[in-house]
Amino acid sequence: MTANVSSAQPASSLPSPLHAVVADDFDAVNRTIVAQLNSKVPLVETIGQYITESGGKRLRPLLALLAARALNYTGDKHVPLATLIEFMHTSTLLHDDVVDESHMRRGKKTANDAWGNAPSVLVGDFLYARSFQMMVDVGSMRIMAILSGATCVIAEGEVQQLTNIGNPSVSEDDYFETILGKTAMLFEAASHSGAVLAEATPEQEQALRYYGRYLGLAFQLIDDLLDYQGDAKAMGKNVGDDLAEGKPTLPLIRAMEQGTPEQAKLIRQVIRDGGLEQLDAVLDIVHATGALDYTRARAEAMVDKALLQLEQLPESPYRDSMAQLARLAVDRQT
């Protein structure tokens, strides 16, 4: 299957002060991405380039670079490490969009919408395989253990999310366990592996591991909040997508807890049925019950925990960027 798609803005052109302190490293990562997408099968390169050049923030590879540099790493293995982490993330995006039957990501057609499900899944597999090849090149058994372990947890988180769809009885604890696996784990693995690469002290390694975890949790909480109050054009996806899929995210879980029996009953039914027929009614409930404010407060608490971890690092522009990244996690609109 072929697709008529427009050329994407190269990720290297993304204007972000967060990337400024590692600008040269980030340029090297972008060049490595292009080089490692090389394949004798043209469709692999086409889909790989389409998804990797789709304008994402590339926060996970950025975390690996910042973590290593914050601990005065002076080698060159942080570039392939950051690249393979981006490949792992990109692979999950390809697979997720097939599972979710998504049609738009970051304001563009998803790869599965453009080329079909089978090519998207198989190119995702290629990117996973290439990331493990690059792990070998990094040459650290500890980093390989961290990233391979993260891969299993991420897969479990995705399966758990799938089983949660249509289930209004998912608890807040269940929700946090799911987003820890499906989202926060790769953030955690990125900052943790950067620390290991830089031969961090045990205290610094632990701090950077948890910094990534709390940042990833905050990031997903805001993602789930924006599904009920974001701007569709800015987000690059439709407001209400999670509701349409019957995903019991924290705004809905909290609204059911705080709402009247009638409000809780309506939300439970919408989660079971999916669809957007009751979107306006659900929006009224999540606002009236303070569920969105509660979700934001939980995200801000995660950011506070992330910032606390950075006290284990020496002062540097890299640490400052990590602190800024944590704050932006809850201030963003996309």
Side-chain angles (χ1 to χ4, degrees), residues 87-97 128 154 158 186:
F87 279 6
M88 290 175 65
H89 175 56
T90 302
S91 178
T92 65
L93 296 184
L94 286 164
H95 290 161
D96 289 353
D97 285 342
Y128 254 136
I154 293 165
E158 293 292 351
L186 192 53

Side-chain angles (χ1 to χ4, degrees), residues 40-60:
K40 64 183 181 181
V41 180
L43 187 58
V44 170
E45 291 189 10
T46 299
I47 296 178
Q49 289 172 2
Y50 180 77
I51 186 82
T52 58
E53 294 178 358
S54 61
K57 302 177 184 70
R58 294 201 175 157
L59 298 182
R60 296 150 190 85

Side-chain angles (χ1 to χ4, degrees), residues 249-284:
T249 57
L250 188 58
L252 296 186
I253 294 169
R254 181 66 175 178
M256 285 188 287
E257 291 176 349
Q258 297 298 308
T260 65
E262 292 76 15
Q263 289 172 327
K265 180 180 179 181
L266 186 148
I267 292 178
R268 292 177 69 87
Q269 192 61 51
V270 170
I271 291 173
R272 289 193 190 98
D273 296 343
L276 294 175
E277 292 79 6
Q278 298 290 335
L279 175 60
D280 289 342
V282 171
L283 289 175
D284 288 342

Side-chain angles (χ1 to χ4, degrees), residues 83-85 87-88 126-136 147 151:
T83 303
L84 73 89
I85 287 170
F87 279 6
M88 290 175 65
F126 170 85
L127 291 175
Y128 254 136
R130 182 53 54 87
S131 71
F132 276 84
Q133 281 185 321
M134 296 180 72
M135 280 184 217
V136 175
L147 295 175
T151 301

Side-chain angles (χ1 to χ4, degrees), residues 16-317:
S16 170
L18 295 172
H19 298 76
V21 294
V22 288
D24 290 343
D25 292 336
F26 212 76
D27 284 343
V29 168
N30 287 326
R31 291 193 299 271
T32 306
I33 286 172
V34 173
Q36 292 294 330
L37 282 173
N38 178 61
S39 170
K40 64 183 181 181
V41 180
L43 187 58
V44 170
E45 291 189 10
T46 299
I47 296 178
Q49 289 172 2
Y50 180 77
I51 186 82
T52 58
E53 294 178 358
S54 61
K57 302 177 184 70
R58 294 201 175 157
L59 298 182
R60 296 150 190 85
L62 177 62
L63 275 182
L65 297 175
L66 289 173
R69 290 300 198 188
L71 294 172
N72 302 312
Y73 179 71
T74 58
D76 59 6
K77 297 293 187 181
H78 61 315
V79 171
L81 174 62
T83 303
L84 73 89
I85 287 170
E86 179 65 7
F87 279 6
M88 290 175 65
H89 175 56
T90 302
S91 178
T92 65
L93 296 184
L94 286 164
H95 290 161
D96 289 353
D97 285 342
V98 170
V99 171
D100 294 341
E101 299 180 359
S102 299
H103 301 288
M104 185 169 69
R105 180 181 288 277
R106 299 167 183 162
K108 294 174 51 180
K109 279 187 172 185
T110 56
N112 53 293
D113 193 63
W115 284 276
N117 287 343
S120 295
V121 170
L122 294 173
V123 172
D125 293 345
F126 170 85
L127 291 175
Y128 254 136
R130 182 53 54 87
S131 71
F132 276 84
Q133 281 185 321
M134 296 180 72
M135 280 184 217
V136 175
D137 293 337
V138 171
S140 167
M141 286 299 295
R142 283 208 62 210
I143 288 175
M144 185 174 288
I146 291 167
L147 295 175
S148 59
T151 301
C152 292
V153 173
I154 293 165
E156 289 174 336
E158 293 292 351
V159 174
Q160 185 60 55
Q161 177 177 258
L162 188 63
T163 62
N164 288 346
I165 289 176
N167 179 8
S169 299
V170 171
S171 69
E172 186 169 321
D173 286 344
D174 294 334
Y175 165 81
F176 272 99
E177 182 179 357
T178 300
I179 67 170
L180 173 61
K182 70 175 287 288
T183 299
M185 183 51 61
L186 192 53
F187 279 83
E188 176 180 323
S191 54
H192 189 192
S193 57
V196 170
L197 184 67
E199 299 180 350
T201 66
E203 293 79 13
Q204 290 170 332
E205 182 183 323
Q206 182 85 334
L208 279 171
R209 177 184 179 187
Y210 280 97
Y211 165 83
R213 175 181 296 190
Y214 296 135
L215 176 63
L217 289 171
F219 192 87
Q220 186 61 54
L221 282 161
I222 296 299
D223 254 15
D224 293 343
L225 180 153
L226 289 174
D227 196 62
Y228 294 94
Q229 69 174 33
D231 177 86
K233 184 176 180 181
M235 292 168 65
K237 68 172 189 174
N238 295 317
V239 173
D241 276 355
D242 289 347
L243 183 68
E245 295 170 20
K247 290 181 180 178
T249 57
L250 188 58
L252 296 186
I253 294 169
R254 181 66 175 178
M256 285 188 287
E257 291 176 349
Q258 297 298 308
T260 65
E262 292 76 15
Q263 289 172 327
K265 180 180 179 181
L266 186 148
I267 292 178
R268 292 177 69 87
Q269 192 61 51
V270 170
I271 291 173
R272 289 193 190 98
D273 296 343
L276 294 175
E277 292 79 6
Q278 298 290 335
L279 175 60
D280 289 342
V282 171
L283 289 175
D284 288 342
I285 295 170
V286 296
H287 282 283
T289 56
L292 298 183
D293 291 338
Y294 177 79
T295 302
R296 182 172 292 279
R298 294 303 306 269
E300 290 172 348
M302 294 300 168
V303 167
D304 288 342
K305 290 182 178 182
L307 292 172
L308 189 63
Q309 306 306 311
L310 296 180
E311 294 180 6
Q312 291 289 338
L313 306 183
E315 292 186 7
S316 72

